[in-house]
Amino acid sequence: MTLILGLESSCDETAAALVTGERRILAHRLAGQEAAHRPFGGVVPEIAARAHVEMLTPLVAAALDDAGIALDAVDAIAATAGPGLIGGVMVGLVTGKALALATGKPLVAVNHLEGHALSPRLADPELGFPYMLLLVSGGHCQLLFVEGVGRYRRLATTIDDAAGEAFDKTAKLLGLGFPGGPAVEQAARAGDPRAVPLPRPLIGSQEPHFSFAGLKSAVLRARDAGLHRAEDIAASFQQAVVDCLIDRTRRALAVSPRATALVVAGGVAANGAVRSALQRLAQERDIPFSAPPLWLCTDNAAMIAWAGCERYREGLIDTLDAPARARWPLDPTAEKARGAGVKA
Amino acid sequence: MLLLADPLATEAAGAALAAVLQPGDAVALHGDLGAGKTTFARGLLAALGLPGEAPSPSFAIVQAYAPPEVRIPIWHVDLYRIENPEDALEFGLDDARLDTALLIEWPERLGPPLWPDTLHLRFEPGPDDVRRLTWQAPASWEARWPPR
């Protein structure tokens, strides 16, 4: 039985988890679990590296204690090595290296995005390669064709804001409170998604990417026009995001006939409207739809331990000089998304 | 004061700044959500040569770019999520200024004003997509900003 200790500290969360190759999550611990205190309007997230430093070692001890396992029983230590806030990444990676050195176990340096990309396989034993992954969170919005462990093709990314960021900033603009995603979703339930005409950036365009910055500006204008209820703006905004996500995902599936499933991961996967629209799209394409449980969609260490497990089983271990990286694309060969100045 | 008619004009203003930007410069972008700060930053980064997308730094806080993908080393910084100015200390902005240009959104989150030689640009929304760009340019910027 493979047993992996996973560490995550690449952004706001500090976390440790123990996961087996048989998909058993023996322990998962998350610090600062005040779920209400999300970015953009919330209480201070744990951005500071020193906060990660203070929390990580006790979390590892607590996770081992929860599982009733001694540190030297693990097969490898998996730690997020990027991308993310560099101070936080270093804390987790250096902790992982120290534990690897002390125990003589191998280190697996995990890409945070790979953690998200493989997490659906931790939750769903039926999910095989290749699959189409929509990764939507506060920091990322990508379509990845997942062909196997370490084999990812990035088909699309955002050319500006991430989808979760658009939710958070819309909540802030409309004074809906925090966390932004759930606040917008709740307000949207009392609103009319057709009430406010909002743009669908890049929909139907030849380029495969996402764009949400213009949508945010349109929300600002709608608010300042004073003609609409916040609920109607929220509902119309959410519908616009759903339309964009679905249009781009449909396009990606059309060019990837080998995809055996449609999978969503990342914090925005918690949004009910996004989930049900993706489910309908999967039905339309006659492929299964898979979404990990919500706690596994947001940042956590179980997904890092699982990605570490998948890599370890393939012999993909790292040396102790593995670098911490602020930017680390999953698919370095991906065609550049056209950046500024694009009008499509 | 510059009137920026639409996002393309905002990007063009960013490109104009890119033409005169040097390592060690600090540029603060003031303005509310949706005022055009990130659009300006994207225009600047593209003009510095960035071939791909310039992701919003709101989540990662610091997006660092270096040659060869851009002409000079530059950090695109977004302090929106910083509530405790001390938390920003560990990003090492002071040290970075030794060889890197800094483009800082939400600079007021740092508390006291930035370095005295910072170029301050302020974005205010007008009707439709129009943005009003005003600035406070210290002596070191007088020959470089506003663009001629």
Side-chain angles (χ1 to χ4, degrees):
Chain A
M1 180 181 82
T2 312
L3 176 62
I4 307 290
L5 170 65
L7 311 175
E8 160 63 33
S9 59
S10 64
C11 205
D12 300 351
E13 312 288 1
T14 324
L18 284 154
V19 170
T20 76
E22 287 75 45
R23 299 183 161 77
R24 285 176 55 214
I25 300 165
L26 301 184
H28 69 96
R29 285 271 184 158
L30 193 64
Q33 224 168 354
E34 302 83 352
H37 299 169
R38 295 284 61 139
F40 307 114
V43 170
V44 194
E46 291 302 352
I47 286 167
R50 65 167 183 279
H52 290 299
V53 170
E54 285 162 13
M55 291 185 294
L56 191 52
T57 312
L59 280 172
V60 170
L64 289 167
D65 199 42
D66 290 349
I69 277 176
L71 179 58
D72 56 12
V74 305
D75 291 294
I77 318 283
T80 303
L85 199 47
I86 193 67
V89 172
M90 279 184 196
V91 170
L93 183 59
V94 170
T95 304
K97 287 176 179 179
L99 292 172
L101 191 62
T103 55
K105 308 288 180 171
L107 171 78
V108 186
V110 174
N111 183 310
H112 179 85
L113 300 175
E114 180 170 44
H116 280 299
L118 296 176
S119 66
R121 285 168 50 81
L122 170 57
D124 182 355
E126 306 291 308
L127 180 61
F129 301 117
Y131 54 86
M132 182 64 67
L133 174 75
L134 174 64
L135 172 54
V136 267
S137 67
H140 303 281
C141 186
Q142 304 192 346
L143 280 160
L144 293 161
F145 187 60
V146 181
E147 299 188 73
V149 177
R151 287 162 51 217
Y152 311 95
R153 263 197 307 126
R154 194 193 76 181
L155 299 176
T157 187
T158 177
I159 61 167
D160 41 54
D161 296 356
E165 182 181 351
F167 269 96
D168 284 330
K169 289 186 171 170
T170 291
K172 179 94 175 172
L173 288 170
L174 298 179
L176 297 175
F178 61 89
V184 169
E185 187 174 9
Q186 197 189 341
R189 279 194 211 106
D192 175 359
R194 287 156 307 181
V196 187
L198 294 173
R200 266 72 172 157
L202 298 186
I203 271 200
S205 83
Q206 278 306 301
E207 70 176 315
H209 301 296
F210 300 93
S211 168
F212 295 105
L215 190 49
K216 177 185 68 192
S217 305
V219 164
L220 179 66
R221 282 199 297 277
R223 181 197 72 179
D224 291 346
L227 299 170
H228 304 286
R229 296 188 307 141
E231 289 81 0
D232 288 338
I233 301 178
S236 302
F237 162 79
Q238 179 172 276
Q239 189 60 50
V241 173
V242 167
D243 289 351
C244 292
L245 293 176
I246 294 302
D247 177 80
R248 312 281 70 195
T249 307
R250 179 181 283 120
R251 185 191 181 287
L253 285 169
V255 299
S256 313
R258 289 194 300 120
T260 57
L262 174 60
V263 178
V264 67
V268 178
N271 182 286
V274 170
R275 272 194 185 224
S276 50
L278 287 168
Q279 181 132 37
R280 281 195 300 276
L281 177 59
Q283 273 166 5
E284 180 190 306
R285 303 280 314 180
D286 202 20
I287 51 175
F289 173 67
S290 182
L294 296 183
W295 75 267
L296 200 52
C297 282
T298 49
D299 289 353
N300 64 86
M303 70 177 191
I304 302 304
W306 175 253
C309 191
E310 296 240 45
R311 292 188 74 85
Y312 175 77
R313 289 191 298 201
E314 306 249 330
L316 298 170
I317 59 171
D318 294 270
T319 51
L320 292 183
D321 60 356
R325 301 195 235 185
R327 282 196 293 156
W328 185 6
L330 258 192
D331 176 6
T333 66
E335 204 174 311
K336 302 285 189 195
R338 291 183 295 155
V342 178
K343 285 285 165 275
Chain B
M1 203 249 305
L2 278 175
L3 274 185
L4 308 169
D6 56 24
L8 280 180
T10 304
E11 286 172 1
L17 179 59
V20 296
L21 194 69
Q22 295 165 6
D25 283 339
V27 179
L29 305 181
H30 301 263
D32 214 336
L33 281 179
K37 301 182 298 297
T38 303
T39 303
F40 179 91
R42 271 194 283 276
L44 188 152
L45 288 165
L48 282 180
L50 188 69
E53 66 278 8
S56 162
S58 295
F59 200 67
I61 301 178
V62 176
Q63 297 280 3
Y65 302 93
E69 63 176 353
V70 284
R71 180 172 61 80
I72 58 171
I74 181 166
W75 285 10
H76 185 192
V77 182
D78 184 338
L79 301 173
Y80 187 82
R81 303 201 297 137
I82 299 289
E83 297 200 355
N84 179 2
E86 281 178 24
D87 284 353
L89 281 179
E90 66 183 45
F91 301 138
L93 300 182
D94 282 294
D95 292 347
R97 286 200 68 194
L98 294 175
D99 59 4
T100 298
L102 297 181
L103 192 60
I104 304 176
E105 301 190 37
W106 298 96
E108 52 277 9
R109 302 278 165 150
L110 281 182
L114 297 171
W115 311 275
D117 59 343
T118 303
L119 172 65
H120 291 272
L121 303 178
R122 186 171 302 279
F123 296 84
E124 286 160 301
D128 298 320
D129 278 339
V130 175
R131 299 286 184 271
R132 238 168 65 94
L133 172 58
T134 54
W135 53 84
Q136 197 184 323
S140 57
W141 279 93
E142 267 169 14
R144 295 189 281 159
W145 192 266
R148 287 161 217 287

